[in-house]
Amino acid sequence: MLHGGITPEVRLLGTMSVRVGAEREHSAVLAQPKRFALLAYLAAATPRGYHRRDTLLALFWPEADQEHARTSLRKAVHFLRQQLGPDLIVSRGDEEIGLAPAGCWSDVAAFEEALAAGRCDHALELYRGDLLPGLHFPDLPDLERWIEDTRTRLRERAVAAAWALASEDERNGRPAHAVRWVRRAMELSPYDEEGIRRLLTLQLRSGDRSGAVLAYDRFAQRLSVDLDLEPSPETRSIVEAARNGGGAIAFHAPEVLASAPIAASVTARSPNAVPPTTTSSSIPVRRHRARRAAVAALLALGATFAAGAVSLRIGSSPLPSSPPTPVAILPFDYRGTPDLEYLAEGMVDLLSTKLDGAPGVRPVDPRALLGFLGRKPAGDDLARGRRAAEHFGADRFVLGSIIEAGDRLQVSATLYDGHGRVQGIAEAQGDGEHQVFEMADQLARQILSEVQEKRLELARVADQTTSSLPALKAYIEGERELRDGRTADAAEAFQRATALDTSFALAHYRLALLAREHTVAREHVRRALRDSARLAEHQRELVKAFAAALRGEHKVADRLYRDVLAAHPDDVETWSMLANLIGYRGPLAGYAWVDAREAYERVLELDPRNALALWHLATFAAWDARLADLDSFTSRFLRLKPTPHHAGNIQGQRAVVRGDSAGIERFIADLRVRPDLSAQMGAGVVTMTTGDLTTGRRLWRLITEPTRSRDMRALAHVTLAKIELTTGRWEAAKAELERAATLDAASALEHRIYYALTRFLTLPRAELLGLRDSLERQDAPRGTEDVEGLAAMHRNVRSYLKLYLLGMLSARLGEPAAALGYASRLETADGSTLEGAFAHDQAQLVRVEVAWLGGRPEEALATLERADFWTTHSALDNTGDSPFFTRIHERFDRAELLYQLGRVDEARQWYRAFTYEMLYRAPSHYRLAQIHRAKGEHGKAREHYSRFVELWRDCDPMLRPMLQRALAEGEVQPQP
């Protein structure tokens, strides 16, 4: 019996979705990419039916031995059955499995069944895009190849269906209908020149001369921008006839087009092109000498579809289809009473929302546009309109005015091309403020009639975010406050908006972004998702992405954000959310916090006054000691008048990097008088972003002064211990932990054991036994609500931390049975709770240690990678002060296991990330030096050896042998 008696629905074309029933989206399946890919393979692979286990093992687990690969397959099948129903996957004998005949509906099977039945129109309804969009497995080349081949095969069949429908409509004397199917074929094969010629001819036959010229111009622009090519003379001759008033051009007979392959051809724009060659259709093709030569060569080969369309791919990603027309809507010039002044910017949001999603149109992101303009009235300033259009790559821009007089509103909007030439004028009138929505509708329809090839109604009237004018006013006020960095005032405005309209999805989404508590954010996201039908498509995707991030499905969130950016490259909010995702969850994916730099640079390019981007870019410049950039970003941030503590932190950061002793002393004096949490944040941020551990010691020492709370002082001593251990000084670290023990004995012991387990330390057996004995005798302290720091972070998981540490110590002491006993006890926790899930992960880590020390690194790595914390956000701690939650040991263990197993390139990514953190910074430089040395990259190797030596030059005697090896291998000298 299937899950709940309902057949699961799997969509793989243009989207990835697994549903059981109308409402239930199985995010758990989507969060497991390899297992989802297995489900997709069973649903889409041909021939349909059963598949040999050996084939599946070779595709999905090629590097595992037979036993482990079969175990992984069994677990994957069990997971899918558990999630989607016990009868989903069936076996035939011992060696074959497949989807049950009625066990699952998939759009791929339905698509191919519709084609087999001759229902091409229904098949194209099902074909919403490429198979498994955005899903790639670079480490599984055979699976990657199957995905690519199947994507191409299905796309080719969709193109063939579109051409078949076009030919049928032509034969039946319906050229307008044929145009629709030719356009669909062109969407799927955007560089098919034979296709554009057929489209032009059909449009000319139906009398749509202007539409033909516009279609040609867009095709030519697409070739120029994407491939640096231009259409062939034959294609140009068709459009020239149209421009000169000629009639329809003779073309191949439809029945020939329906059956014969058509080769694509383009002419490269190069004064030194080689003589033309001849394709099967005698269309000249020339080579291009520039960086597009390889692409032109592929085109010249004339790779063909049976239905006459060409599929061209670069790498593993499909070339983009024709992009929609970007339109920049500038703030309107308002003249009237102050009560309606909000409409100057409000009309930007209203029109952008209404135009978003309409075919062929993409409004420039209002937040980015207003940030670029500095929120100054646009009026009739054509120069500013042209600059904005050029900055955002918009083909057109809109300038408008609103005049209020005697309860009457007169609104006009003028549409310009990128050069400032008038393309059309839209006007609307109303009896007052209550008709703003209707006037915006009228303007949007008139603008669409000018922008699109032919008049179209709005794609979705439901894109209107709210029907409450007071709610809209509150929302616009919130947006204004948010752009100016006043988040508390913005939140209050958005709260008013949701009180006035409880279904205001966009306002709920804003409140979710601003929420400080995880549960509050999830509730606002739930409400936003509930009413997301009122949002534009890309806004819905943003809400889905943020919801995925809150659930811990960060790979899903990353994919959704990038999908939005592919269609809306100027969406400043999406760039900002992607940057935050990389910086926040990046470490658990092998990224360093500096890897968010490119995304934040894009944010600042779009919004030059974005405080968050300026702050982060200043931190990246501080780490790299790019002094000019550091000064520039810091000064620009300070001009925004941030809070005193944020201003003090960024000034202290600059002082440390510049070696400004007076500035450092001012920062220290500032920290000394700050409240505990603000002082802790200042010390932590500046230590991290500058990498200066000497100054970091001074800053954190301030937090140990008697004026601070006991909990905060204990945290400071533990952090100082981490700084000491980062420089190879275990004895100094223990001294700090002993001081912490006088303030919080339980937390100090937990961290002493955790640091004792640091991978580069090899402690005497007696010391490990003493630590285990102390932990066994220590009762877990009672949880209280009035504690801060480490005690508060670990309040709900203290008993699990004890079992985990006892298990790890037992493994290090060579007692695997005892260690596995502690792991089993951890696994009795309720895994449905956050704390129980944490316990299960800790049990996995004990098993990793046992397998690794037992000489089974492959098993250790496989066990480590199965832990849930890599992809699931626990919400137990958001400060980064607990090494148990930030997974310092586990991330370094992953790098070491990959290195030991010869997967050096993968290991290198993880080591690199650690060079931007504490604790394992020096050993990571050492490993990177060894990797570069083995590759013969001696300059890079010497650089990493030098950094390692600089960090550990004063290390304890027990670590001196490693330092001496580095000095010898790298041929470097320690600096005095």
Side-chain angles (χ1 to χ4, degrees), residues 455 775 828:
R455 183 178 297 275
L775 186 59
T828 63

Side-chain angles (χ1 to χ4, degrees), residues 63 139 865 895 898 903-911:
E63 295 185 0
D139 295 335
E865 291 177 337
L898 288 167
R903 295 161 62 179
V904 175
D905 289 337
E906 295 174 74
R908 180 169 52 186
Q909 176 185 354
W910 293 89
Y911 288 131

Side-chain angles (χ1 to χ4, degrees), residues 444-669:
R445 288 189 173 92
Q446 294 176 61
I447 291 171
L448 280 175
S449 71
E450 299 293 341
V451 172
Q452 294 174 323
E453 293 185 23
K454 54 193 300 186
R455 183 178 297 275
L456 293 171
E457 293 298 312
L458 291 179
R460 288 188 308 275
V461 177
D463 278 351
Q464 178 59 59
T465 54
T466 181
S467 56
S468 166
L469 191 59
L472 175 66
K473 292 170 67 174
Y475 176 81
I476 292 172
E477 178 186 338
E479 285 291 316
R480 184 181 299 114
E481 299 293 353
L482 195 60
R483 282 194 293 272
D484 287 343
R486 293 187 289 270
T487 55
D489 294 335
E492 191 275 332
F494 293 136
Q495 288 282 10
R496 281 190 282 114
T498 56
L500 291 163
D501 180 357
T502 57
S503 63
F504 199 163
L506 203 53
H508 278 298
Y509 169 62
R510 286 283 183 262
L511 288 170
L513 294 179
L514 295 173
R516 293 182 177 272
E517 296 182 13
H518 193 76
T519 54
V520 175
R522 295 189 69 168
E523 175 59 22
H524 282 298
V525 162
R526 185 190 67 79
R527 295 186 180 188
L529 288 171
R530 180 193 63 190
D531 297 301
S532 61
R534 307 179 72 184
L535 298 177
E537 182 178 357
H538 91 278
Q539 292 169 335
R540 284 200 298 273
E541 294 303 298
L542 282 180
V543 176
K544 291 178 183 177
F546 189 59
L550 288 177
R551 293 193 301 268
E553 298 169 3
H554 296 87
K555 290 184 178 180
V556 175
D558 183 278
R559 174 178 57 79
L560 289 171
Y561 284 135
R562 294 181 190 277
D563 286 348
V564 171
L565 290 171
H568 298 268
D570 54 18
D571 193 315
V572 66
E573 179 177 330
T574 309
W575 280 111
S576 186
M577 295 301 294
L578 180 61
N580 182 67
L581 188 73
I582 294 170
Y584 179 54
R585 289 295 293 183
L588 288 174
Y591 295 107
W593 55 272
V594 296
D595 291 331
R597 176 180 169 182
E598 181 181 355
Y600 278 121
E601 286 176 338
R602 185 67 173 133
V603 170
L604 194 64
E605 178 185 341
L606 295 168
D607 182 3
R609 299 176 70 250
N610 189 287
L612 189 65
L614 285 168
W615 166 262
H616 281 284
L617 290 171
T619 65
F620 304 148
W623 181 272
D624 295 332
R626 291 180 281 112
L627 300 183
D629 285 344
L630 175 60
D631 288 340
S632 173
F633 293 133
T634 300
S635 298
R636 290 169 65 182
F637 179 79
L638 292 173
R639 283 199 293 270
L640 299 179
K641 297 181 174 55
T643 63
H645 293 167
H646 285 120
N649 290 347
I650 202 168
Q651 288 172 317
Q653 172 184 265
R654 177 168 61 180
V656 172
V657 174
R658 281 196 162 277
D660 175 6
S661 57
I664 294 173
E665 294 305 320
R666 285 194 298 271
F667 181 54
I668 287 175

Side-chain angles (χ1 to χ4, degrees), residues 133-199:
L135 193 65
H136 298 288
F137 296 92
D139 295 335
L140 302 173
D142 289 341
L143 177 60
E144 185 88 348
R145 190 177 304 110
W146 174 81
I147 293 174
E148 285 300 305
D149 291 346
T150 308
R151 280 177 182 156
T152 301
R153 179 178 64 81
L154 295 174
R155 191 188 314 110
E156 289 177 3
R157 298 203 69 188
V159 172
W163 284 117
L165 289 168
S167 296
E168 181 181 354
D169 282 331
E170 275 191 283
R171 284 193 298 270
N172 294 327
R174 297 191 296 266
H177 289 78
V179 166
R180 177 166 64 108
W181 295 119
V182 174
R183 282 180 176 157
R184 182 68 192 278
M186 291 296 298
E187 289 174 5
L188 299 172
S189 179
Y191 305 98
D192 175 14
E193 192 159 5
E194 196 79 11
I196 192 64
R197 288 200 290 273
R198 185 174 183 184
L199 175 60

Side-chain angles (χ1 to χ4, degrees), residues 14 35 232-233 513 557 711 781 866:
R35 290 172 175 176
S232 68
L513 294 179
D711 294 324
R866 282 198 299 270

